[in-house]
Amino acid sequence: MVIGNGLIAGQFDKYRDNDDIIIFASGVSNSKETNSKLFDQELNLIKKYISKKSLFVYFSTCSVHDSSLTESNYVKHKLKVEKFIQSNFENFLILRLPNIVGLTKNPHTFFNYFYNSIKNGESILIQKNAVRYFMDAEDISIVIEMILEDDTVKNSVINVSYRNAITIPDAVGIFEKELNKKANLSFVDKGNNYSIPDDYFYLLYTKSSRIDITDDYTKKCFRKYINKKNNESSI
């Protein structure tokens, strides 16, 4: 069963008729969200599945490890939901994801925001000290399959992130090169260069041949979807 119809939910179509697993991908997608009603709606929807015996898979965020986002409503909400699931579900898996890159109409994703802003010549204020981690949306279903093959991780919270931290200015530089357009940037001396505890997942994906992680993974990922977006807009 798959709950949701957005970017992440779209990666799990083959699970839609599988009653042994519930992929919950119907949550607040804007990390800058402040509307408490939207957070409450997500939690109330989750509560409907407490009695299910199926494996409940929830997607949280690796941003819980970024000390500069500790007071973020989004991060506080994700931690609240994590605790609720741990206390009320007898069969669960919580996966903390980095920034996901893929084709979506959601304007609030990192990728869409910077793609649209740079392409349209809009001014952008960025934190010069901040880093972000990225994952291709198409990797998520592969990651799930690898983790589900390990029976020892039942009822666990797992940080799912490659060791590919990149500063926001460097990430913007990739957009500038691929779009052949200079971004209209202003900088603020904020942000945090943080790391994500990833020992379990690092060992998992480095032993697997299903995902190819190279030093230029993020650049290739951005280039892939920038080209797809460009092709969309030219149709």
Side-chain angles (χ1 to χ4, degrees):
M1 182 186 305
V2 180
I3 312 302
N5 53 18
L7 176 61
I8 293 178
Q11 309 306 314
F12 296 100
D13 285 340
K14 72 178 185 179
Y15 289 96
R16 291 195 180 274
D17 296 324
N18 186 339
D19 293 331
D20 294 328
I21 185 170
I22 300 172
I23 304 289
F24 188 90
S26 178
V28 176
S29 59
N30 181 7
S31 62
K32 299 291 193 297
E33 187 59 69
T34 59
N35 187 343
S36 61
K37 290 183 179 180
L38 295 180
F39 295 132
D40 291 341
Q41 285 176 9
E42 178 182 340
L43 186 54
N44 288 335
L45 182 56
I46 289 171
K47 290 178 180 178
K48 294 181 178 180
Y49 299 95
I50 290 178
S51 62
K52 299 289 186 180
K53 302 301 181 183
S54 311
L55 174 65
F56 188 84
V57 179
Y58 178 73
F59 297 104
S60 185
T61 175
C62 286
S63 293
V64 300
H65 297 291
D66 185 347
S67 60
S68 69
L69 297 176
T70 303
E71 297 304 314
S72 157
N73 290 322
Y74 180 78
V75 167
K76 287 181 177 179
H77 167 69
K78 286 296 187 180
L79 289 173
K80 178 181 178 181
V81 172
E82 285 186 13
K83 290 179 180 178
F84 178 83
I85 292 172
Q86 289 172 299
S87 299
N88 293 279
F89 284 77
E90 62 179 65
N91 191 15
F92 68 84
L93 187 62
I94 296 172
L95 304 180
R96 291 172 174 166
L97 300 181
N99 283 271
I100 303 301
V101 183
L103 289 182
T104 172
K105 300 298 183 182
N106 181 357
H108 303 298
T109 67
F110 182 103
F111 180 84
N112 277 355
Y113 172 74
F114 281 98
Y115 176 90
N116 293 329
S117 295
I118 294 172
K119 194 152 192 178
N120 296 329
E122 299 169 356
S123 59
I124 308 171
L125 179 65
I126 65 173
Q127 299 180 352
K128 67 178 183 180
N129 305 317
V131 302
R132 294 292 182 266
Y133 297 77
F134 295 94
M135 178 176 285
D136 188 327
E138 294 179 356
D139 283 357
I140 301 176
S141 61
I142 302 173
V143 164
I144 284 278
E145 290 178 359
M146 291 194 303
I147 294 175
L148 292 180
E149 289 168 2
D150 182 359
D151 293 333
T152 67
V153 296
K154 179 181 177 181
N155 295 352
S156 297
V157 180
I158 300 174
N159 294 310
V160 178
S161 180
Y162 306 132
R163 295 182 178 180
N164 62 339
I166 183 173
T167 66
I168 292 182
D170 285 346
V172 170
I174 298 174
F175 281 99
E176 290 179 317
K177 182 176 181 180
E178 296 301 321
L179 292 172
N180 194 27
K181 189 167 185 177
K182 194 70 176 175
N184 183 11
L185 300 177
S186 297
F187 297 89
V188 58
D189 191 16
K190 291 183 178 181
N192 180 36
N193 187 345
Y194 70 101
S195 59
I196 299 171
D198 66 351
D199 288 350
Y200 169 79
F201 186 64
Y202 178 76
L203 289 175
L204 189 69
Y205 76 76
T206 52
K207 289 180 180 179
S208 173
S209 60
R210 283 180 272 182
I211 297 178
D212 182 23
I213 307 301
T214 58
D215 290 340
D216 58 352
Y217 173 89
T218 302
K219 184 182 294 184
K220 287 181 177 178
C221 183
F222 278 23
R223 183 183 298 136
K224 170 183 174 180
Y225 288 104
I226 287 172
N227 288 335
K228 288 188 175 186
K229 292 276 285 186
N230 287 341
N231 290 334
E232 275 189 341
S233 61
S234 65
I235 295 176

